[in-house]
Amino acid sequence: MMIPFLNLKAPYFDLKREIDDAVDRVLRSGWYIGGPEVESFEVEYASYCNAKYAVGVANGLDALRLALQAMGVGPGDEVIVPSNTYIATWLAVSQCGAIPIAVEPIIGTYNIDPTLIEGAINSRTKVILPVHLYGQPADLDPILSIAKKYELYVLEDGAQAHGAKYKGRRIGAHGDAVAWSFYPGKNLGAMGDGGAITTNNLEIAKKIKMLGNYGSTHKYIHEVKGFNSRLDPLQAAILRTKLKYLDLWNDRRKNIAIQYLNGIKNPALILPVVPAWSDPVWHLFVVRHSSRNNFQDYLSGQGVSTLIHYPIPPHLQSAYLDLNNPRGRFPLAESMADEILSLPIDPYLTDAQIGTVIHLSSEGSITSNEAS
Ligand SMILES: *Cc1c(COP(=O)(O)O)cnc(C)c1O
């Protein structure tokens, strides 16, 4: 039996009639940039996230960069980021001309360690940028109080956390803004690129909209040298359809996660930790194994597809050699990269497939030859 990591076609064939109707609606409307589908999605997504405003943009990286620019981040500034995130979080900072300052994670939740943030703050720091990695909220309250003390903005990277709750409230407006990606493989995915920012701050929302629309609020009047970064109406119409199913898909992911947490019995595997205040949406189910490559090869030989998120931390990428962060500077991010493995947690997996992953990941099924 082949167990895929993620089947992107499954939600399309599941909702084919509704998605085809949404696409047809846009094609017939003549609104191919902006217009009612984008505006309706912005209203519906803001409401889903318990935020006052949502602004659609072209992708998640742009959402991060435009939000940072709306917060005034520019050359010479510093932004605090996790050491173990996807490189987009760092690139957004670099694209503003600012410097990403990495802070190590808590091992267990894999989110930024709030107790290490103050040590990274100086007079150049402008923003703290926590990532809700793998769909689990970062510990926002201590981050928000540090930001208040030092008068910093908090921008959350929500690209993996659509629908996740921190202390009972959905991610969307705890900090000053949240950047979202609708890359197809995310919990809420478009059928192409897409992104958004949610915020309760009208000034930030307006500024992002202006920056993403050629620096213009009135046609042919340009206040700043802006960009072209807009959410496509076809994607907005598809996202409006899929948003109605997001909670259902997230519930299925949670159900699979509970089966994994309760069912996988293997002392060599370290399972993810969920604090009492956290309601994660399990974008990824990440385990750790000291012989990760052997464990991955073993599962692959049995037909189970797994991935590594991410094999090389940003500071060790060639792209970031200029920051001179040598190997050993962020040892937790480095050891994670060597040990982590993402098990399949696609909502369209069957219970039989989940049972197979549990069986194969459990101690009895792995001989010392196969995974040591
Ligand atoms: C996917 C992702 C992004 C970037 O989103 P794109 O839409 O691909 O630009 C940013 N941050 C994190 C943590 C992500 O997982």
Side-chain angles (χ1 to χ4, degrees):
M1 178 158 66
M2 274 301 298
I3 299 180
F5 187 76
L6 184 62
N7 179 356
L8 286 172
K9 286 189 284 189
Y12 174 59
F13 288 111
D14 191 15
L15 307 178
K16 186 172 186 316
R17 175 84 60 78
E18 278 178 81
I19 291 175
D20 288 351
D21 282 352
V23 169
D24 193 55
R25 204 165 67 224
V26 175
L27 295 181
R28 287 165 186 278
S29 75
W31 281 98
Y32 304 138
I33 294 285
E37 293 292 339
V38 175
E39 283 162 23
S40 298
F41 174 69
E42 287 173 341
V43 169
E44 288 157 14
Y45 194 61
S47 149
Y48 179 83
C49 294
N50 292 316
K52 285 190 187 155
Y53 313 104
V55 181
V57 296
N59 55 62
L61 175 59
D62 278 6
L64 287 162
R65 176 177 50 92
L66 294 170
L68 289 169
Q69 288 177 320
M71 292 171 179
V73 173
D77 293 335
E78 293 184 0
V79 174
I80 291 176
V81 295
S83 58
N84 61 316
T85 182
Y86 180 56
I87 196 167
T89 318
W90 287 44
L91 289 176
V93 177
S94 304
Q95 288 183 355
C96 297
I99 298 172
I101 301 295
V103 165
E104 290 264 72
I106 298 170
I107 291 299
T109 67
Y110 309 122
N111 275 319
I112 194 165
D113 186 343
T115 65
L116 303 176
I117 290 177
E118 278 196 88
I121 293 174
N122 62 49
S123 59
R124 293 180 297 276
T125 312
K126 286 278 151 53
V127 176
I128 306 174
L129 206 178
V131 178
H132 305 306
L133 197 69
Y134 307 149
Q136 167 140 270
D139 193 1
L140 288 169
D141 279 348
I143 296 172
L144 291 168
S145 60
I146 294 166
K148 195 166 182 189
K149 179 170 163 193
Y150 292 92
E151 298 184 359
L152 307 173
Y153 285 107
V154 173
L155 170 63
E156 303 161 58
D157 183 337
Q160 303 188 358
H162 316 75
K165 287 182 187 152
Y166 178 71
K167 298 190 178 171
R169 203 174 110 219
R170 280 211 186 106
I171 296 302
H174 293 81
D176 297 286
V178 184
W180 301 95
S181 163
F182 305 120
Y183 181 83
K186 309 291 186 183
N187 288 36
L188 178 62
M191 295 167 111
D193 274 311
I197 296 96
T198 54
T199 179
N200 282 344
N201 183 322
L202 181 59
E203 288 310 306
I204 288 179
K206 280 182 170 168
K207 212 157 185 182
I208 290 167
K209 189 140 212 149
M210 183 266 287
L211 286 169
N213 187 35
Y214 288 108
S216 170
T217 41
H218 301 283
K219 211 170 167 80
Y220 303 131
I221 309 293
H222 301 273
E223 297 156 45
V224 297
K225 298 183 193 77
F227 307 89
N228 175 353
S229 184
R230 302 180 285 222
L231 179 63
D232 189 295
L234 280 167
Q235 301 305 336
I238 291 166
L239 288 166
R240 289 182 72 197
T241 305
K242 291 179 101 182
L243 181 57
K244 295 182 201 141
Y245 296 89
L246 177 58
D247 283 344
L248 204 73
W249 290 326
N250 281 343
D251 284 347
R252 175 61 179 157
R253 286 174 185 272
K254 284 180 211 180
N255 174 280
I256 298 171
I258 288 167
Q259 293 189 56
Y260 283 168
L261 289 169
N262 293 336
I264 297 175
K265 304 279 184 230
N266 182 345
L269 271 192
I270 301 168
L271 301 177
V273 172
V274 181
W277 42 258
S278 169
D279 186 7
V281 288
W282 301 102
H283 174 60
L284 297 169
F285 190 94
V286 175
V287 299
R288 277 172 35 238
H289 193 296
S290 57
S291 305
R292 189 266 319 278
N293 293 346
N294 290 334
F295 180 57
Q296 183 176 35
D297 289 347
Y298 166 73
L299 289 179
S300 163
Q302 302 290 319
V304 177
S305 311
T306 58
L307 291 171
I308 298 165
H309 300 89
Y310 300 91
I312 305 172
H315 73 282
L316 298 180
Q317 300 280 358
S318 308
Y320 277 108
L321 288 180
D322 59 331
L323 291 186
N324 292 315
N325 287 311
R327 187 173 287 278
R329 175 74 54 87
F330 301 111
L332 296 183
E334 291 168 19
S335 68
M336 267 185 75
D338 293 337
E339 295 182 352
I340 50 177
L341 189 68
S342 305
L343 301 181
I345 194 163
D346 183 338
Y348 285 89
L349 288 173
T350 64
D351 278 339
Q353 290 174 313
I354 302 305
T356 301
V357 176
I358 292 171
H359 170 72
L360 293 172
S361 301
S362 290
E363 187 187 15
S365 58
I366 309 169
T367 72
S368 52
N369 275 344
E370 283 162 332
S372 63

